[in-house]
């Protein structure tokens, strides 16, 4: 229903309801979070100025227009707001209600909006001329502003730009009234200096300069930006994305209910504190009865704590990107993904329910290793009735280890309990699986390992309500196998030292494991733990450590070398050395792109870095589009829009301009050799062998069985330098399928021979 409001009349009532925690007010609200706050449904607002200007007061059209455009620029220049304005020219029409033109008009009493009223002071220059200097009137459609006009009192005396002398100066009055057209009410008059949005501020208040109260209001309405520490209680409704900027904290008190419209969410670039208790929790949910909201996103460098929170009906309940919040005693039910961790995100999870999520309960990617323990003691999390309980990929290593008869419960997930893919090590000893031993078919590994010794026979987390299963997601099954044995002496002691925060000792022990097993899974895992210890301890010398202790002991160009470059890139990002991080990743993509997993992850990460840390959206889209084209069904593609949303909320990235990356010159030292690997491994029925040739030459690639008998010759002849691929379909040279078992593939060139193992499992 459309209706009209005379703002100067209604603002008298709004003063009564000012909230002490939020001094700025809004047209339909005394604070943020009131349902259906009025605002435009666009961030670009058009306007016109009447062709006569204020000529009766000595200001022709051009002079009037210049002052009004200065007023619009004052609002447009707020860096924490997304508001902008477009001037559509002059208008010759007289003011008319509901004409769809946002205009500036001079009108004269007894015109209906300027009446004698005891509320309005006498004009100091023209005694007896009563009424406002200017008012704003609106047309609303539902909760959106669709037309707003500013009417200036033509009987007032307008005095050009001398705002320190005259009350009625066009630019300062226009700034105030434009604020109303944006949906901002009158500010608290007790604030010193007076905000521009104070009612009847004196000239000495400098009405040309927006104050912090004004900035808070426009930043929230147009950009959803929370630019100061704020606390919310009770019921809160948000109709657009809410972004907490870096360095600021948003707090939700116990008992709060927080509702978001479909597709919108809470973006944390600063800090989130949502601390409830067992009898009075905090609920995050969608507004309305259908669709999903965007969930809570912890962006790079953000922090937060959630305790006794319920997050439901989101596309992803909690998404972490290079951030590690603490999540305790919370429930993530009925989302697409319960918790997703990307890019070195390792949150602490204690006492949570992660259930009935239609895709994954917990998803981790790219060196993300959430800790489902509490300082080494069992985390008591329940992950059940999801499609897949835990899906972890690309050098991520969740820790689920329990203690004695206590631990986490992972069971009744309809596809897999755990799926680990590409160099992941999942520590899941002393976990309750609802079966002893749990069936191997409930676990899937590809080039990874799941340690699940000593399964618990009794559920250590009873009385967690059973949730009906969602629809299963189809995955290609792969039998679980432990390809490597982690040495329990050095590695276990290293993990213990890390838990005790004795980081220097832990680093030395992890380095020892790494040196013994550089090209095995346990060695790669130890390497990631070294970098993790540097991050947790706050040490700033990882790059020097890598150059001295790690890279000289790795074959240049192999998969372990790629991991070393990626870990360096993460440390560079933490130090805000974004150009160096992008150079490392570009080097990987162009010189050491050894397999599909590396290529997918590097394309996604480069797109993310350009999205989050620079204004260069063109290069970001180039990387994203390549990823979409080559791997359209990959799970990373579904995360692109999430990262783009983070980029929009990252106000700091507007200040950073990254140059086009210069690819590092990586010298080929005495350790240089051909890098070769196969994926998947184990496999059924076929696997792809990939290798990178530094120079052109003759190549022979053969497959042998465990008895040393030649099975097949896959390649024999000259090949050019660069990345090469060949697929083995599990058949011998006569075209017959071979039996399950261990096989070896050997590559031989004029200067190099290397043998690797693969497993065919039918």
């Amino acid at each position: 229903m459309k209706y009209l409001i005379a703002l100067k009349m209604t603002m008298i009532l709004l003063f009564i309801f000012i909230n002490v925690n939020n001094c700025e007010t809004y047209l339909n609200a005394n604070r943020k979070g009131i349902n259906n706050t009025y605002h435009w449904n666009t961030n670009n607002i058009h306007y016109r100025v009447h062709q006569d200007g204020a000529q009766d007061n000595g200001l022709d059209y051009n002079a009037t227009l210049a002052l009004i455009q200065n007023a619009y620029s004052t609002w447009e220049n707020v860096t924490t707001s997304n508001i902008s304005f477009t001037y559509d020219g002059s208008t010759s029409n007289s003011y008319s209600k509901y004409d769809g033109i946002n205009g500036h008009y001079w009108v004269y009493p007894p015109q209906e909006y300027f009446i004698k009223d005891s509320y309005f002071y006498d004009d100091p220059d023209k005694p007896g001329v009563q009424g406002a200097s200017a008012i704003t009137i609106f047309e609303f459609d539902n909760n959106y502003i669709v037309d707003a006009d500013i009417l200036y009192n033509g009987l007032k005396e307008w005095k050009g730009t001398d705002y320190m002398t005259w009350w009625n100066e066009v630019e300062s009055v226009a700034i105030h009234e434009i604020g109303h057209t944006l949906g901002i009410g009158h500010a608290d008059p007790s604030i010193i200096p007076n905000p521009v949005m104070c009612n009847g501020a004196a000239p000495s208040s400098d009405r040309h300069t927006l104050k912090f109260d004004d900035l808070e209001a426009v930043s929230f309405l147009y950009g959803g930006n929370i630019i100061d520490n704020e606390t919310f209680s009770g019921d809160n409704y948000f109709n657009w994305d809410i972004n907490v900027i870096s360095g600021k904290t948003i707090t939700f008190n116990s008992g709060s209910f927080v509702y978001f419209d479909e597709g919108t969410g809470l973006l944390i670039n600063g800090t989130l504190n949502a601390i409830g208790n067992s009898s009075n929790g905090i609920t995050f949910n969608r507004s309305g009865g259908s669709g999903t909201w965007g969930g809570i996103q912890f962006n790079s460098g953000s922090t937060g704590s959630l305790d006794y929170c319920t997050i439901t009906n989101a596309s992803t309940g909690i998404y972490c990107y290079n951030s590690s919040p603490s999540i305790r005693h919370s429930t993530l039910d009925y989302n697409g993904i319960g918790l997703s961790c990307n890019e070195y995100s390792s949150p602490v999870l204690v006492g949570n329910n992660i259930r009935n999520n239609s895709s994954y309960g917990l998803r981790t990617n790219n060196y993300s290793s959430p800790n489902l323990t509490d300082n080494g003691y069992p985390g008591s999390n329940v992950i059940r009735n999801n499609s897949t309980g835990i899906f972890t990929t690309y050098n991520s290593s969740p820790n689920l280890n329990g203690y004695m008869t206590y631990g986490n419960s992972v069971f009744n997930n309809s596809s897999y309990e755990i799926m680990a893919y590409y160099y992941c090590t999942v520590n899941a000893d002393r976990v309750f699986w609802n079966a002893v031993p749990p069936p191997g078919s409930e676990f899937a590994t590809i080039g990874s390992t799941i340690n699940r010794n000593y399964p618990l026979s009794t559920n250590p987390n009873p009385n967690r309500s059973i949730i009906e299963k969602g629809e299963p997601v189809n995955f290609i099954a792969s039998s679980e196998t432990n390809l490597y044995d982690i040495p329990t002496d050095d590695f276990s002691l290293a993990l213990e030292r890390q838990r005790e925060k004795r980081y220097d000792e832990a680093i030395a022990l992890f380095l020892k494991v790494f040196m013994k097993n550089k090209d095995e899974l346990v060695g790669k895992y130890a390497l990631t733990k070294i970098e993790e210890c540097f991050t947790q301890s706050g040490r700033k010398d990882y790059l020097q450590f890598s150059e001295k202790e790690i890279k000289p002991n790795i074959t240049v160009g192999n998969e372990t070398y790629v991991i070393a470059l990626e870990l360096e890139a993460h440390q560079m990002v933490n130090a805000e050395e974004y150009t160096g991080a992008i150079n490392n990743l570009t080097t990987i993509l162009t010189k050491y792109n050894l397999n599909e997993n590396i290529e997918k992850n590097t394309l996604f990460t480069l797109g993310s870095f350009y999205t989050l840390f620079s204004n260069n959206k063109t290069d970001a889209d180039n990387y994203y589009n390549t990823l979409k084209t080559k791997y359209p069904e990959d799970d990373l593609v579904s995360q692109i829009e999430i990262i783009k949303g983070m980029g929009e909320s990252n106000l700091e990235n507007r200040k950073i301009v990254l140059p086009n990356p210069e690819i590092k010159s990586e010298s080929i030292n005495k350790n240089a050799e051909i890098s070769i690997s196969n994926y998947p491994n184990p496999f059924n029925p076929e696997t792809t062998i990939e290798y990178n040739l530094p120079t052109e030459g003759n190549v022979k690639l053969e497959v042998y069985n465990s008895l040393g008998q030649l099975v097949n010759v896959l390649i024999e002849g000259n090949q050019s330098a660069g990345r090469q691929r060949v697929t083995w379909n599990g058949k011998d040279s006569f075209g017959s399928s071979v039996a399950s078992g261990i096989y070896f593939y050997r590559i031989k060139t004029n200067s190099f021979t290397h043998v690797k193992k693969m497993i065919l499992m039918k």
Side-chain angles (χ1 to χ4, degrees):
M1 178 178 179
K2 297 182 178 181
Y3 54 97
L4 182 70
I5 290 181
L7 184 64
K8 290 291 183 180
M9 302 297 290
T10 60
M11 287 300 107
I12 299 297
L13 300 176
L14 286 178
F15 272 127
I16 300 171
F17 302 107
I18 292 174
N19 184 307
V20 294
N21 292 321
N22 300 275
C23 295
E24 74 275 11
T25 57
Y26 307 93
L27 287 188
N28 190 39
N30 59 302
R31 65 174 178 86
K32 299 177 180 70
I34 295 296
N35 200 12
N36 302 323
T37 302
Y38 293 128
H39 69 115
W40 294 85
N41 66 349
T42 175
N43 287 350
N44 179 255
I45 300 170
H46 292 240
Y47 69 94
R48 293 178 179 271
V49 176
H50 192 269
Q51 64 183 11
D52 293 339
Q55 62 181 1
D56 290 347
N57 288 274
L59 295 172
D60 63 15
Y61 173 76
N62 289 331
T64 305
L65 174 63
L67 295 172
I68 290 174
Q69 288 184 322
N70 287 343
Y72 277 109
S73 295
T74 298
W75 289 101
E76 193 167 35
N77 290 336
V78 177
T79 59
T80 52
S81 170
N82 296 333
I83 195 71
S84 63
F85 304 94
T86 298
Y87 171 58
D88 287 341
S90 64
T91 177
S92 59
N93 295 335
S94 298
Y95 164 70
S96 176
K97 301 176 185 178
Y98 319 140
D99 60 2
I101 297 175
N102 307 314
H104 294 253
Y105 303 89
W106 264 256
V107 297
Y108 299 86
Q111 205 276 350
E112 60 182 304
Y113 296 112
F114 295 106
I115 59 176
K116 287 180 179 266
D117 193 302
S118 61
Y119 282 119
F120 298 127
Y121 51 80
D122 286 342
D123 188 305
D125 297 309
K126 291 187 176 182
V129 178
Q130 294 177 310
S133 299
I135 64 174
T136 303
I137 62 174
F138 297 88
E139 180 188 2
F140 297 103
D141 190 353
N142 294 320
N143 296 297
Y144 291 122
I145 304 169
V146 296
D147 189 10
D149 294 295
I150 299 174
L151 310 184
Y152 301 82
N153 188 337
L155 292 184
K156 299 288 185 179
E157 188 168 356
W158 301 90
K159 296 292 184 177
T161 61
D162 191 5
Y163 63 89
M164 296 302 290
T165 303
W166 304 104
W167 279 73
N168 302 318
E169 184 271 307
V170 174
E171 185 174 334
S172 63
V173 171
I175 292 172
H176 177 96
E177 298 300 330
I178 289 169
H180 288 324
T181 71
L182 303 182
I184 305 173
H186 281 135
D188 185 346
S190 68
I191 299 174
I192 302 299
N194 283 165
V196 165
M197 295 312 298
C198 278
N199 189 24
S204 60
S205 68
D206 184 5
R207 294 178 296 181
H208 278 210
T209 304
L210 298 178
K211 311 306 185 299
F212 191 74
D213 194 76
D214 307 312
L215 303 180
E216 280 191 287
V218 69
S219 298
F220 172 69
L221 288 174
Y222 300 93
N225 297 312
I226 304 295
I227 65 173
D228 197 12
N229 301 331
E230 299 211 29
T231 299
F232 294 85
S233 300
D235 291 353
N236 300 275
Y237 296 85
F238 297 108
N239 308 120
W240 52 84
D241 284 337
I242 302 302
N243 168 41
V244 183
I245 71 169
S246 178
K248 302 303 177 182
T249 298
I250 189 170
T251 299
F252 292 98
N253 287 332
S254 58
S256 297
F257 287 84
V258 189
Y259 300 99
F260 282 85
D261 277 3
E262 182 177 357
T264 67
L266 179 59
L267 314 177
I268 308 298
N269 288 289
T271 299
L272 167 65
N273 286 330
I275 310 299
N277 54 60
S278 58
S279 60
N280 211 13
I282 300 170
T283 298
F284 295 88
N285 201 352
R286 68 189 176 206
S287 299
S290 62
T292 59
W293 64 291
I296 301 173
Q297 296 180 16
F298 287 93
N299 296 348
S300 182
S302 64
T303 60
S305 297
L306 294 92
D307 206 348
Y308 291 101
C309 294
T310 296
I311 302 168
T312 188
N313 294 312
S315 53
T316 298
I318 300 176
Y319 186 96
C320 302
Y321 185 95
N322 196 26
S323 58
S324 300
S326 171
I327 306 168
R328 300 171 182 268
H329 310 110
S330 295
T331 297
L332 285 70
D333 282 357
Y334 294 102
N335 305 290
I337 299 174
L339 170 62
S340 184
C341 303
N342 198 1
E343 190 71 21
Y344 301 86
S345 295
S346 301
V348 173
L349 306 176
V350 176
N352 301 293
N353 297 319
I354 304 178
R355 306 170 304 191
N356 211 41
N357 297 287
S358 61
S359 184
Y360 312 118
L362 171 61
R363 181 198 182 281
T364 72
N365 178 65
N366 196 19
Y367 299 94
S368 294
S369 303
N371 198 356
L372 282 73
T373 66
D374 188 9
N375 197 28
Y377 294 98
S380 301
N381 300 280
V382 173
I383 303 176
R384 62 181 300 189
N385 300 92
N386 307 283
S387 177
T388 294
I390 299 173
F391 176 69
T392 185
T393 182
Y394 207 84
N395 297 288
S396 298
S397 300
N399 180 17
L400 288 78
N401 280 349
Y403 178 76
M404 300 296 287
T405 60
Y406 299 95
N408 298 288
S409 302
V410 183
F411 63 101
N412 285 1
N413 296 288
S414 57
S415 181
Y416 294 107
E417 306 296 357
I418 299 179
M419 184 176 184
Y421 168 69
Y422 196 80
Y423 292 154
C424 297
T425 298
V426 182
N427 291 317
D429 293 343
R430 300 181 183 87
V431 170
F432 177 75
W433 309 105
N434 206 26
V436 180
S441 60
E442 295 183 2
F443 302 86
T445 61
I446 301 175
S448 300
T449 187
I450 301 173
N451 300 309
R452 46 186 177 89
N453 303 306
Y454 319 114
L456 301 179
S457 58
T458 302
N459 188 357
N461 306 293
N463 304 320
R464 308 279 183 97
S465 58
I466 296 176
I467 305 298
E468 183 179 345
K469 289 184 179 180
E471 293 296 320
V473 178
N474 293 323
F475 290 97
I476 299 174
S478 175
S479 299
E480 190 268 343
T481 180
N482 292 336
L483 297 179
Y484 310 100
D485 293 325
I486 294 180
T488 57
D489 45 9
D490 293 337
F491 204 94
S492 297
L493 185 57
L495 290 171
E496 180 68 14
R497 293 293 179 265
Q498 183 183 15
R499 184 185 70 79
E500 295 170 348
K501 299 182 180 180
R502 296 161 64 176
Y503 295 113
D504 289 345
E505 295 177 46
I507 289 169
L509 289 167
F510 283 130
L511 182 62
K512 185 177 179 181
V513 175
F514 166 71
M515 294 297 289
K516 291 180 180 178
N517 307 274
K518 293 190 291 292
D519 292 322
E520 304 296 339
L521 178 58
V522 64
K524 295 177 175 68
Y525 183 33
L527 183 54
T528 65
K529 299 300 286 185
I530 291 171
E531 191 267 346
E532 185 176 88
C533 285
F534 271 84
T535 300
Q536 292 175 350
S537 66
R539 284 182 57 173
K540 306 298 184 184
D541 58 335
Y542 180 81
L543 297 180
Q544 296 91 323
F545 183 89
S546 178
E547 288 293 335
K548 181 180 178 181
E549 303 290 348
I550 296 174
K551 289 168 70 175
N553 297 297
I554 307 174
T555 299
V556 173
N558 70 4
E559 289 174 308
T560 308
Y561 190 78
V562 169
I563 291 174
L565 293 179
E566 290 172 331
L567 295 173
E568 287 183 350
H570 178 237
Q571 290 290 318
M572 291 173 185
V573 167
N574 288 345
E576 298 185 357
E577 298 175 5
Y578 303 118
T579 300
I582 285 180
N583 282 340
N584 264 31
L585 294 175
T586 307
T587 298
I588 293 170
L589 191 63
T590 56
K591 297 183 67 175
Y592 309 126
N593 191 6
L594 307 179
N595 55 55
E596 292 183 355
N597 302 291
I598 291 174
E599 182 175 47
K600 289 186 294 187
N601 190 77
T602 307
L603 288 169
F604 178 80
T605 306
L606 278 167
S608 300
F609 282 7
Y610 274 105
T611 299
L612 297 175
F613 307 130
S614 82
N615 290 311
N616 191 341
K617 301 301 185 287
T618 300
D619 277 352
D621 286 339
N622 287 340
Y623 290 120
Y624 286 147
N625 291 336
T626 302
L627 177 63
K628 292 177 183 177
T629 301
K630 298 190 72 171
Y631 308 102
E633 303 301 322
D634 194 82
D635 187 60
L636 286 173
V637 172
S638 66
Q639 299 186 58
I640 290 175
E641 293 304 317
I642 296 176
I643 301 300
K644 286 185 175 181
M646 290 182 181
E648 291 297 322
S649 72
N650 184 14
L651 301 173
E652 287 79 5
N653 73 10
R654 300 175 184 173
K655 305 173 186 177
I656 300 170
V657 178
L658 288 177
N660 290 327
E662 297 179 2
I663 300 173
K664 287 183 177 180
S665 177
E666 297 284 344
S667 60
I668 304 299
N669 65 16
K670 63 181 181 180
N671 295 312
E673 59 185 38
I674 297 171
S675 175
I676 184 168
S677 63
N678 71 299
Y679 162 78
N681 189 20
F683 64 95
N684 179 26
E686 63 181 33
T687 186
T688 298
I689 300 171
E690 301 190 29
Y691 48 95
N692 202 46
L693 297 177
T695 59
E696 181 181 357
N698 290 318
V699 176
K700 190 171 186 179
L701 180 61
E702 303 164 309
V703 177
Y704 291 84
N705 62 23
S706 59
L707 300 177
Q709 298 168 327
L710 180 64
V711 174
N712 206 334
V713 178
L714 304 180
I715 293 292
E716 187 171 18
N718 190 74
Q719 286 193 308
S720 59
R723 179 177 169 184
Q724 306 289 344
R725 296 180 182 176
V726 61
T727 298
W728 183 46
N729 58 7
K731 296 183 179 181
D732 62 21
S733 57
F734 300 102
S736 300
S737 296
V738 299
S740 297
I742 297 175
Y743 291 84
F744 298 89
Y745 53 101
R746 183 178 73 171
I747 187 169
K748 184 177 182 180
T749 70
N750 293 334
S751 58
F752 176 77
T753 299
H754 194 63
V755 178
K756 277 201 167 183
K757 179 176 67 175
M758 55 185 170
I759 301 174
L760 173 59
M761 303 188 71
K762 296 184 178 180

